[in-house]
Amino acid sequence: MASRANHFVLLGCGLLCAAALLCPQMIGSCAAQGGASQPPASVAAVPGPAAVSNFPIASDARLAGDARQTRFILDLDKPVQFRAFALADPYRVVVDFPQISFNLPAGIGAGGRGLVKAFRYGLVMPGGSRIVFDLTGPAKIAKSYILEAANGQPPRLVLEFEQLDRTAFVQSLPPESRPELRPAIAEANAAQPDSSIAQPPQAPDKRPVIVIDPGHGGVDNGTQAGGGDIMEKNLVLTFGLALRDRIEKSGKYRVVMTRTDDTFIPLGDRVKVARNEAAALFVSIHADALPRGEGDAHGATIYTLSDKATDSEAERLADIENRSDAIGGVSLVDEPTEVADILIDLVQRETKTFSNRFARILMSEMKNTVRMHKHPLKSAGFRVLKAPDVPSVLVELGYVSNKGDLELLVSENWRNKTVGAMAQAIDAFLAKRLATAGPAK
């Protein structure tokens, strides 16, 4: 069941990637205007409005504003669902819809205003339409919403763009969408036409993906020790990078980091990285601390997801970790529900079984080389463990509030031994799971 769900995720991601590559070829009423290249015949053959009268109809569009803030308004005959996101190098905003019949005035979109140089639109796949905005520079979608019909006015899609600098723009992108090019090269590429970034298709990398998630980062320091000089965010990043390097040496797995520098990543985005990559395993790295006066605990602990924490300490820790989203100004209440039917519920149960299995293997490997907590296996409601289809664990390497643990946490020798034990556990877990699952179909 988990394999089938992962196939669905991979298929969806593949369709979106294919659609993104097709963006420069999209055909709307504007495609042949202003010297734009002619579309392929297969796209030009999309049925006209009369043949798709059951689809929502877009009848007009307009831009308003200036180089700091620009608004796009699309008139519709009925409200539609949509998804808007930004892309870098070149700077673009993409809006995806269920299939729409574009009946816009001739030539619209060939010119721009404010932050938008031009826009194009059309059918990108059966049942799916898209508008792509070419931007004059880095900008974010400050607001996006649908206005219901009122006072004789039709339903309208409204997008509000706001100017950003390059650094803020890149930080606004999901981690998996951030460009890895140096800024100077990225800026040069941004000046090239859309088609310049199209690359010949490469053979897909079928190696299992392991996502390593160093906790906290940026404005969220995590726990601290040594008068505040030793921060959890730095300890776990160093450990996570070392674990990545060790795993990659085998060449059997592809490793994805949720962060590789001192950057704040909202908890929900960390989970999205694992799901978007169809990860075989998600490992979140942390280091705990007990408040002064609440005793002294030591040793590593491995957490799996539970709706109810196994003890008050686990519950306290989960509450602290889950609240860290507020540091970045992210409202968890507003996040959309990703689990919508019984199938996903079943996948969640299977995923929990795999998570527990990996936790036991990891404890078995770590206890031979690492000082473990007296109760090393626990469960709590950590938000980063809530991907419904990715086996996930959260590892507390030790307590920075304990002198002995702190000495180990800053020790390179201890880090190397612990990384080795975790890498062996990951290899043992995935080797057994892949052998059980059989070849991908």
Side-chain angles (χ1 to χ4, degrees), residues 5-284:
N6 285 339
H7 290 321
F8 291 157
V9 173
L10 285 170
L11 178 58
C13 290
L15 288 173
L16 286 176
C17 290
L21 289 175
L22 288 173
C23 283
Q25 315 297 332
M26 288 173 55
I27 174 66
S29 299
C30 65
Q33 303 294 325
S37 58
Q38 294 296 324
S42 60
V43 180
V46 173
V52 292
S53 58
N54 291 332
F55 297 121
I57 297 173
S59 58
D60 200 1
R62 63 195 66 81
L63 290 164
D66 54 31
R68 293 178 56 196
Q69 292 182 316
T70 304
R71 176 177 292 181
F72 171 79
I73 303 169
L74 181 70
D75 291 352
L76 300 157
D77 68 333
K78 64 183 72 174
V80 296
Q81 294 182 335
F82 68 96
R83 171 177 176 258
F85 57 96
L87 295 172
D89 305 332
Y91 299 114
R92 287 157 293 160
V93 163
V94 178
V95 185
D96 284 331
F97 308 88
Q99 188 165 339
I100 286 177
S101 175
F102 289 101
N103 190 21
L104 301 181
I108 199 165
R113 179 168 179 170
L115 294 166
V116 177
K117 287 194 295 188
F119 63 89
R120 54 196 184 279
Y121 52 89
L123 186 70
V124 291
M125 67 182 73
S129 294
R130 169 171 287 186
I131 302 177
V132 178
F133 298 88
D134 298 314
L135 305 179
T136 59
K140 71 175 182 179
I141 308 166
K143 294 181 182 179
S144 59
Y145 50 92
I146 291 284
L147 289 174
E148 298 286 343
N151 302 321
Q153 300 299 314
R156 285 176 172 140
L157 165 71
V158 180
L159 302 176
E160 297 184 5
F161 304 97
E162 187 175 290
Q163 186 182 41
L164 291 176
D165 59 34
R166 166 97 182 165
T167 301
F169 175 82
V170 171
Q171 293 298 325
S172 73
L173 300 176
E176 68 275 13
S177 297
R178 293 176 185 172
E180 297 179 358
L181 300 174
R182 297 190 306 274
I185 297 177
E187 292 290 354
N189 286 348
Q192 300 298 319
D194 228 14
S195 58
S196 67
I197 65 168
Q199 300 293 329
Q202 299 179 352
D205 189 341
K206 295 184 178 180
R207 294 178 298 171
V209 175
I210 300 168
V211 174
I212 299 175
D213 172 46
H216 309 283
V219 295
D220 180 10
N221 296 325
T223 56
Q224 295 179 245
D229 294 334
I230 301 175
M231 300 180 185
E232 179 186 359
K233 66 176 183 178
N234 297 328
L235 290 173
V236 299
L237 177 60
T238 300
F239 188 95
L241 292 171
L243 180 59
R244 176 198 65 183
D245 294 344
R246 179 67 65 90
I247 295 171
E248 286 183 337
K249 280 185 178 179
S250 72
K252 294 188 292 185
Y253 313 107
R254 183 165 66 88
V255 181
V256 175
M257 303 287 293
T258 58
R259 68 180 182 98
T260 57
D261 55 19
D262 188 18
T263 301
F264 176 81
I265 308 295
L267 298 176
D269 287 350
R270 297 170 189 259
V271 177
K272 289 176 184 175
V273 171
R275 299 203 66 203
N276 290 342
E277 294 286 350
L281 188 62
F282 176 91
V283 181
S284 190

Side-chain angles (χ1 to χ4, degrees), residues 146-419:
I146 291 284
L147 289 174
E148 298 286 343
N151 302 321
Q153 300 299 314
R156 285 176 172 140
L157 165 71
V158 180
L159 302 176
E160 297 184 5
F161 304 97
E162 187 175 290
Q163 186 182 41
L164 291 176
D165 59 34
R166 166 97 182 165
T167 301
F169 175 82
V170 171
Q171 293 298 325
S172 73
L173 300 176
E176 68 275 13
S177 297
R178 293 176 185 172
E180 297 179 358
L181 300 174
R182 297 190 306 274
I185 297 177
E187 292 290 354
N189 286 348
Q192 300 298 319
D194 228 14
S195 58
S196 67
I197 65 168
Q199 300 293 329
Q202 299 179 352
D205 189 341
K206 295 184 178 180
R207 294 178 298 171
V209 175
I210 300 168
V211 174
I212 299 175
D213 172 46
H216 309 283
V219 295
D220 180 10
N221 296 325
T223 56
Q224 295 179 245
D229 294 334
I230 301 175
M231 300 180 185
E232 179 186 359
K233 66 176 183 178
N234 297 328
L235 290 173
V236 299
L237 177 60
T238 300
F239 188 95
L241 292 171
L243 180 59
R244 176 198 65 183
D245 294 344
R246 179 67 65 90
I247 295 171
E248 286 183 337
K249 280 185 178 179
S250 72
K252 294 188 292 185
Y253 313 107
R254 183 165 66 88
V255 181
V256 175
M257 303 287 293
T258 58
R259 68 180 182 98
T260 57
D261 55 19
D262 188 18
T263 301
F264 176 81
I265 308 295
L267 298 176
D269 287 350
R270 297 170 189 259
V271 177
K272 289 176 184 175
V273 171
R275 299 203 66 203
N276 290 342
E277 294 286 350
L281 188 62
F282 176 91
V283 181
S284 190
I285 309 295
H286 289 260
D288 196 13
L290 284 179
R292 188 181 301 274
E294 291 195 13
D296 187 31
H298 68 269
T301 310
I302 303 164
Y303 286 87
T304 53
L305 179 65
S306 174
D307 292 333
K308 184 176 182 180
T310 50
D311 55 34
S312 58
E313 178 188 348
E315 187 172 9
R316 172 194 62 80
L317 184 58
D319 287 344
I320 291 173
E321 299 294 350
N322 290 345
R323 284 199 305 269
S324 69
D325 254 338
I327 297 174
V330 177
S331 172
L332 299 181
V333 177
D334 295 334
E335 289 198 355
T337 302
E338 294 179 317
V339 180
D341 53 32
I342 293 177
L343 173 62
I344 298 301
D345 178 64
L346 294 175
V347 172
Q348 282 183 299
R349 296 183 189 186
E350 188 175 28
T351 298
K352 183 177 180 181
T353 298
F354 283 123
S355 299
N356 291 336
R357 182 181 302 170
F358 174 63
R360 291 193 296 270
I361 294 174
L362 183 57
M363 181 193 68
S364 179
E365 291 289 345
M366 290 180 67
K367 70 180 183 181
N368 296 322
T369 55
V370 181
R371 184 163 75 162
M372 302 297 291
H373 189 275
K374 61 182 178 180
H375 302 298
L377 292 179
K378 297 187 180 183
S379 59
F382 291 109
R383 185 165 180 78
V384 292
L385 300 181
K386 292 187 176 181
D389 46 9
V390 180
S392 306
V393 300
L394 184 147
V395 181
E396 295 283 356
L397 297 172
Y399 288 78
V400 299
S401 54
N402 178 274
K403 182 179 179 181
D405 275 9
L406 184 58
E407 290 177 353
L408 295 175
L409 289 168
V410 298
S411 164
E412 183 177 358
N413 181 55
W414 175 89
R415 182 168 59 249
N416 289 337
K417 290 193 300 181
T418 307
V419 161

